[in-house]
Amino acid sequence: MSNPFIEDDGPQPPKVLKAPVEIVANLRQLQQHHDPLVITFHERSQRFQSYLIEVDRDKNRLILDEMIPNDAERYLQNGEPFRIEAFHEGVRVAWECLQPVQIAEHQGARCYFSPMPEAVHYHQRRNAFRAPLKQSDQVRIELAGDKLRSPVQGLLLDISATGCKLRLPGNVASSLHSGQVYERFTAQLPFGAMTTAVELRHVQYEEKLDTTFAGVRFHRMSGLEQRQVERFVYQLQREARRFDSDGLF
């Protein structure tokens, strides 16, 4: 039987994305999943953190959140070029900003307007294709087990054949522990609920969003559960390809 994931199975060589539709799609993933951006200025060793607030294709620009620590603003005012690097579930996404950015405010908070990059370095190092979910395709999840006093509920952000990323409201990071196996993870997939055990790989609370993000790996899945997950990932993969194809015309 053919494997629908075979072309995505295994690490991929680095690529340079130059098509605007590909660049926008990958940057929007970083924005929607609130993946931290690591920023370094040329010839400086200090590292700064920011987030993508908005990917504005119409105005051909990005809106970056205030950089931390705020020493970065001195370098921005000097017009110094910088490099941005982010990781989204095993995929490294990086680009350079060689043009000056505009220091401004967005919804009452400090931000920076940066030109849309003309090229983005993309390196998938994960073993399985990971499909992001659109906001219109929300899948509710519940995490429960003997090590939890009460179940934790949230939303699925993305999923692969081997694991997924979760968005959990509030600060629940202190009650979750990396490496712990939780016996009852339930996802309300479009064609029915799927329940399996998961191992927590990482957990991070983002204070500005009052949201906890967690990554889990499926643990000792049955054949039925594996087929449910693969069916859902394949469905998302087909939809993503159709969307990308439509966006080119």
Side-chain angles (χ1 to χ4, degrees):
M1 182 176 175
S2 64
N3 182 351
F5 306 102
I6 194 70
E7 66 188 277
D8 298 297
D9 194 10
Q12 305 292 311
K15 295 188 290 186
V16 178
L17 308 179
K18 293 189 175 180
V21 66
E22 286 188 304
I23 290 173
V24 168
N26 281 279
L27 296 184
R28 280 190 177 148
Q29 271 201 12
L30 300 179
Q31 174 200 349
Q32 291 165 1
H33 291 77
H34 308 288
D35 293 311
L37 310 179
V38 176
I39 294 168
T40 51
F41 288 83
H42 293 195
E43 301 180 4
R44 296 187 186 275
S45 58
Q46 192 174 6
R47 293 154 66 90
F48 303 89
Q49 182 174 291
S50 181
Y51 291 89
L52 261 174
I53 296 175
E54 190 174 314
V55 180
D56 190 336
R57 188 175 180 182
D58 293 334
K59 295 183 179 178
N60 203 37
R61 72 180 184 189
L62 307 177
I63 302 182
L64 303 175
D65 198 6
E66 183 175 13
M67 295 185 193
I68 301 171
N70 61 11
D71 303 355
E73 214 153 280
R74 289 204 314 272
Y75 309 143
L76 294 177
Q77 288 168 342
N78 292 341
E80 295 186 27
F82 56 90
R83 182 175 184 81
I84 299 178
E85 182 179 56
F87 290 88
H88 178 70
E89 298 296 349
V91 176
R92 176 181 176 270
V93 180
W95 67 98
E96 294 201 9
C97 184
L98 303 177
Q99 303 174 46
V101 304
Q102 179 186 348
I103 300 173
E105 284 199 354
H106 178 72
Q107 297 179 351
R110 196 74 154 177
C111 73
Y112 316 109
F113 295 153
S114 166
M116 187 79 71
E118 294 181 359
V120 166
H121 295 264
Y122 176 98
H123 188 192
Q124 181 174 313
R125 296 182 287 190
R126 174 172 289 282
N127 290 331
F129 174 82
R130 185 168 288 269
L133 276 77
K134 300 193 294 288
Q135 288 188 342
S136 56
D137 297 331
Q138 288 190 347
V139 169
R140 298 194 175 279
I141 63 92
E142 181 176 274
L143 188 62
D146 297 340
K147 299 293 183 182
L148 280 173
R149 285 185 180 178
S150 58
V152 176
Q153 297 180 339
L155 295 173
L156 199 64
L157 281 178
D158 60 32
I159 186 169
S160 77
T162 57
C164 54
K165 188 172 182 181
L166 315 176
R167 178 179 183 136
L168 312 169
N171 186 358
V172 294
S174 59
S175 61
L176 300 174
H177 304 284
S178 297
Q180 179 66 53
V181 174
Y182 298 95
E183 301 87 352
R184 295 180 298 283
F185 169 80
T186 302
Q188 301 294 334
L189 301 180
F191 38 80
M194 184 276 295
T195 301
T196 187
V198 294
E199 177 190 352
L200 185 70
R201 305 293 290 181
H202 60 83
V203 60
Q204 181 178 359
Y205 173 63
E206 294 292 346
E207 188 175 358
K208 290 180 78 170
L209 303 168
D210 191 27
T211 300
T212 301
F213 296 94
V216 300
R217 180 183 292 275
F218 299 129
H219 185 73
R220 296 180 182 173
M221 298 182 81
S222 69
L224 172 62
E225 293 156 359
Q226 187 70 50
R227 286 192 296 275
Q228 284 180 293
V229 169
E230 289 185 354
R231 176 184 171 189
F232 186 46
V233 174
Y234 186 45
Q235 178 181 317
L236 293 171
Q237 188 177 14
R238 288 181 62 189
E239 289 175 359
R241 284 181 176 156
R242 186 166 64 244
F243 176 80
D244 286 347
S245 176
D246 292 345
L248 290 172
F249 301 98

